[in-house]
Amino acid sequence: MQPPDFADLGINTNEEGRLQALNSYHILDTGTEKEFDRLVELAKIICNVPIAAITLIDVDRQWFKSKIGINLNETSREISFCNYAIQQNCLYEVEDATMDFRFKDNPLVKGYPQIRFYAGYPLIDPDGFAIGTLCVIDHRRKKLTEKEHRALKLLAKEVISQIVSKKDKIEKNHFEEMYLRSTDLLCMTGTDGFFKKVNPAFSAVLGWTDKELMEKPFLDFVHPDDKELTLKTIAEHSSGNSSINVCNRYLTKSGKYKVLSWICNPDFANGVIYAIAHDETEMLASQHQVVLAEKGFRDVFENSPDAIFVEDMAGNILDVNIAGVALQGASKEKLIGVNFRQLVPKEKFVKLLTDYKKLFLGISRTVESSVWSAAKGEIPVEVSGKKIVFDDKDVLLLLVRDVSERKKMEAERANAILEKIKLQEEQTRASLAAQEAERNRIATEMHDDVGAGLSRISILGQVIKTSINNPGIVASNIDKVLSSSKEVQENISEIIWAMNPKNDTFENLISYINYFAAEFLELSAIDFKIDLPKDISPIIINGKTRRNIFLIIKESLNNVVKYSEATSVTITIRINTELFSIIIRDNGVGFDAENTSRFSNGMQNMKQRTKEIHGIFKIISNRLTGTSVYLQVPIIPEMISY
């Protein structure tokens, strides 16, 4: 629909209606669109101004749909010039805002964007509502010429035309979407008896293709027994345009019939009938099933394992089944006529009434309560219910299930969960304590290994400083400093490796042993071989265990280099899910394994570390075959937790 010419249109001053009209266009807070941006740019060029905009006036804000020359998305409606422009159906022009008592103190005048000239045309929709403006702004005093005035008016008319057109397009798309997605059958037929157009629901419900439906008169699909009534109903309305209601059976492609309920709106002047049909087949089948169910209701009622009470709307018991009698421990004769509230503990009745209201309004499917039993006392129950028609009266059907055993099991399960949580908390505390111990261990090692090395470097530095005039002593001690520095660096690297949780697997440990041994023995000109397992399972190992195993191996290799006079070393590593073992063999001169005084401190350290990881440490040595060091470590839970 094209908006009428502004000159002939009055403004609708109904603010509530204006806001409803604005919202009906679904344009607020939408993105930029080229159509509107072009119109704004035209207004700027034609009126020779730095700023132009399309604004929409909401409840308490002015929002910019399109703008040029201004860096604002919206302003308060209270300070908006456009709020004045929408109150009339012609150009609203302010030649010099600084001289106008309404605007001279306006923050848009005194501050950014420093408005001095303003001209705006209201955007008036077909119902007379001014939803916004097309406006132009300048920083200097100005007055539009007659041609600029006329151009701004035409551009404003084009803006509202675009807005209305987009709304019509959206509504058309919504209707087409509804037509395609509707589960009801929508169609247009001619007075010649043939379908002209059908929606997809026809094929979904009846199975026929559009082509098959349109090839035959629609009466060919109507059940023979229903044709006369259908024709008679249409004939009775042929003289007018009132709605036609008819119900008939329609043939499906499978050969069965569907029951369709029709509402038809004839347009006999144009020779068409618009119709909508709803498939009533399942509803009628359900009604038939209800009749069958009512016949078997008594058997189901009496034989249900759960207690069933039939009550009137006041809560008085009209009937109760065998399970209900057993639950209450009273005869049916004594229970009929009793109000259900008498069976519920008094302190729970008010809550039960609230729960029942939710139950019968469909808010809740079940409620929990308890009932008194003459034999068992208070019994926890789960109640579900429904309002039904019984003997032409509204009654409440309550299904009451004894949940004593379930509650008992839930309590036991809750206790088990609490015990599990308690155990997890204890394990967490133990883990935190182990982590704290590990941190202390690492701190001690850093103090002992790194600290001792740094202290040695510091002392050597003092020696060098005091012997600066003795080149021989300086050179000798510089070599010692370099050696100590390298040792400190290696110790730091080893500690960092042990601390990094990414290395917490035997695979990483074995890889590190291989790397260290190869580098360490190569510097000592000792041939090195390592025999690794073919498959290494991804078994987790904590930093403490990794560190101890590595230091035992390091100390063993250090003894080989210092004392064995060996020319070759072989390391054999094996691992399975229960045991990690390593053998270090050298071809050196051997020693008396019973007398290890020359490296007793190192031996004691290795034994102590082996004890900490619950392992076995052994040395076999003689003068002919060299020395073999054996280390076995069991893989136990303690190794994989901190």
Side-chain angles (χ1 to χ4, degrees), residues 209-220:
T209 66
D210 293 3
K211 184 175 182 296
E212 289 169 332
L213 287 166
M214 294 181 186
E215 284 178 342
K216 300 178 183 179
F218 63 78
L219 278 175
D220 283 6

Side-chain angles (χ1 to χ4, degrees), residues 186-205:
L186 308 175
C187 68
M188 180 176 72
T189 67
T191 51
D192 58 359
F194 284 82
F195 287 111
K196 303 300 182 185
K197 187 175 183 181
V198 294
N199 75 333
F202 269 84
S203 292
V205 174

Side-chain angles (χ1 to χ4, degrees), residues 573-593:
I573 297 176
R574 294 291 181 264
I575 183 172
N576 56 40
T577 56
E578 298 178 353
L579 188 69
F580 172 79
S581 64
I582 184 166
I583 303 172
I584 303 174
R585 293 187 177 93
D586 68 62
N587 64 350
V589 297
F591 66 96
D592 182 359

Side-chain angles (χ1 to χ4, degrees), residues 222-258:
V222 178
H223 192 283
D225 295 343
D226 297 342
K227 287 184 179 181
E228 183 179 350
L229 176 62
T230 301
L231 285 172
K232 181 180 178 182
T233 304
I234 294 174
E236 288 175 352
H237 294 77
S238 61
S239 59
N241 289 320
S242 60
S243 295
I244 304 171
N245 296 287
V246 63
C247 186
N248 54 27
R249 287 165 289 179
Y250 247 67
L251 181 66
T252 68
K253 195 165 186 177
S254 66
K256 296 181 180 180
Y257 282 89
K258 294 272 190 178

Side-chain angles (χ1 to χ4, degrees), residues 101-121:
F101 73 94
R102 290 167 298 181
F103 302 113
K104 64 180 181 179
D105 295 321
N106 190 300
L108 300 176
V109 174
K110 300 183 74 173
Y112 182 81
Q114 295 184 325
I115 298 174
R116 189 162 186 184
F117 166 76
Y118 169 88
Y121 246 106

Side-chain angles (χ1 to χ4, degrees), residues 128-141:
F129 291 112
I131 63 172
T133 72
L134 171 64
C135 63
V136 292
I137 296 169
D138 205 337
H139 306 305
R140 56 189 176 82
R141 190 180 187 282

